[in-house]
C-alpha cells in the first residue's frame, strides 16, 4: 500500500519512484522478520528497489508512517488496514497473493504488475503435538469442515476479507514447509539471522 498522495499508482510506478531516489526512501512493516517484512523484502529483492526497511510494533504505526511521509510504501495484511483503505487514506496497489483477493477484486496481483515469483497466502491453522493419534486429527478436521461450512462463519470471514480454505493435514504441512523454505531464502539474502 501507498499513501493516498503517492505518485505510485501500480507496482511498476512504485519501483520507478523508489529507484529515482536510491537509498533515500523507506518501506514500513510490522515487526522485523514478520511475514509482512519478509514479503516486503522479497519484493525489494525481486525488483531491486533501493529502499530501507523500518519495522514498527503495530499496524497503526505502519499506517502512521505512511501518512506522515516517513515511508514510501508498506506491506500489511488487508483486514487491519481495511478501514484506512475505505476512508481513502491509503491505496492498495498490488496484492502478493497467487490470484486477486476476493475482498478487493480490482487490485491486481504483483504478477499481473510484472513482478513474478512472489505469491503468498496468509493462513491460520491448528497444530497438535507430534504423535497425536490420527483419529483425533480426523475428528478435528471433520469438525472444522462443519464449522467453516456454516453461513454465519462464512459471512464473518467475508467481513474481515478472509477466505475459508480448509486443507488436509498433509496439505497444510506442505504449505508450512514451502513457506519456511521460501522465507529462509529471503531472510538469508537479506542478511537476517535467526533469533
Amino acid at each position: 500500500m501507498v499513501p493516498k498522495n503517492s505518485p505510485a499508482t501500480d507496482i511498476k510506478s512504485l519501483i520507478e519512484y523508489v529507484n529515482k531516489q536510491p537509498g533515500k526512501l523507506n518501506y514500513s512493516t510490522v515487526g522485523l522478520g514478520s511475514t509482512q517484512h519478509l514479503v516486503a523484502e522479497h519484493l525489494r529483492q525481486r525488483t531491486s528497489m533501493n529502499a530501507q526497511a523500518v519495522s514498527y510494533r503495530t499496524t497503526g504505526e505502519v499506517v502512521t508512517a505512511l501518512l506522515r511521509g516517513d515511508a514510501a510504501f508498506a506491506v500489511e495484511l488487508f483486514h487491519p488496514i481495511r478501514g484506512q483503505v475505505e476512508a481513502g487514506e491509503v491505496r492498495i496497489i498490488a496484492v502478493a497473493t497467487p490470484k486477486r483477493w476476493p475482498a478487493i477484486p480490482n487490485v491486481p496481483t504483483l504478477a499481473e504488475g510484472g513482478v513474478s515469483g512472489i505469491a503468498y497466502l496468509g493462513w491460520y491453522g491448528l497444530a497438535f503435538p507430534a504423535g497425536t493419534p490420527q483419529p483425533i486429527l480426523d475428528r478435528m478436521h471433520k469438525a472444522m469442515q462443519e464449522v467453516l461450512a456454516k453461513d454465519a462463519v462464512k459471512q464473518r470471514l467475508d467481513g474481515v476479507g478472509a477466505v475459508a480454505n480448509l486443507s488436509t493435514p498433509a496439505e497444510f504441512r506442505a504449505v508450512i514447509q514451502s513457506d519456511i523454505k521460501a522465507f529462509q531464502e529471503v531472510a538469508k539474502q537479506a542478511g537476517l539471522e535467526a533469533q
Side-chain angles (χ1 to χ4, degrees), residues 6-8 12-22 25 72-73:
S6 171
K12 183 178 178 184
S13 61
L14 176 64
I15 296 165
E16 291 171 0
Y17 171 64
V18 169
N19 286 340
K20 282 182 183 175
Q21 303 170 72
L25 298 176
F73 69 98

Side-chain angles (χ1 to χ4, degrees), residues 73-90:
F73 69 98
V75 173
E76 184 52 272
L77 303 174
F78 174 65
H79 61 276
I81 61 159
R82 186 177 199 157
Q84 287 86 1
V85 172
E86 290 172 353
E89 296 172 351
V90 298

Side-chain angles (χ1 to χ4, degrees), residues 136-155:
I136 293 173
L137 299 176
D138 293 342
R139 193 170 357 157
M140 182 57 77
H141 189 260
K142 185 173 182 347
M144 288 302 298
Q145 285 176 318
E146 292 169 3
V147 168
L148 293 174
K150 295 179 184 234
D151 287 337
V153 173
K154 288 179 185 178
Q155 288 173 2

Side-chain angles (χ1 to χ4, degrees), residues 51-130:
Q52 305 300 314
V54 179
S55 296
Y56 294 93
R57 291 180 300 151
T58 68
T59 298
E61 292 171 318
V62 169
V63 173
T64 299
L66 275 180
L67 298 178
R68 275 195 316 245
D70 294 342
F73 69 98
V75 173
E76 184 52 272
L77 303 174
F78 174 65
H79 61 276
I81 61 159
R82 186 177 199 157
Q84 287 86 1
V85 172
E86 290 172 353
E89 296 172 351
V90 298
R91 289 184 283 118
I92 300 175
I93 59 172
V95 293
T97 51
K99 57 185 181 179
R100 290 188 183 208
W101 197 246
I104 44 175
N106 295 331
V107 177
T109 65
L110 288 170
E112 289 176 305
V115 180
S116 62
I118 300 176
Y120 295 103
L121 282 175
W123 48 260
Y124 295 96
L126 300 176
F128 295 86

Side-chain angles (χ1 to χ4, degrees), residues 169-193:
E171 290 168 339
F172 187 44
R173 190 174 305 110
V175 166
I176 293 170
Q177 290 170 345
S178 174
D179 283 357
I180 288 171
K181 182 178 178 184
F183 285 138
Q184 282 176 332
E185 184 58 33
V186 169
K188 180 180 176 184
Q189 287 187 31
L192 299 173
E193 295 181 22

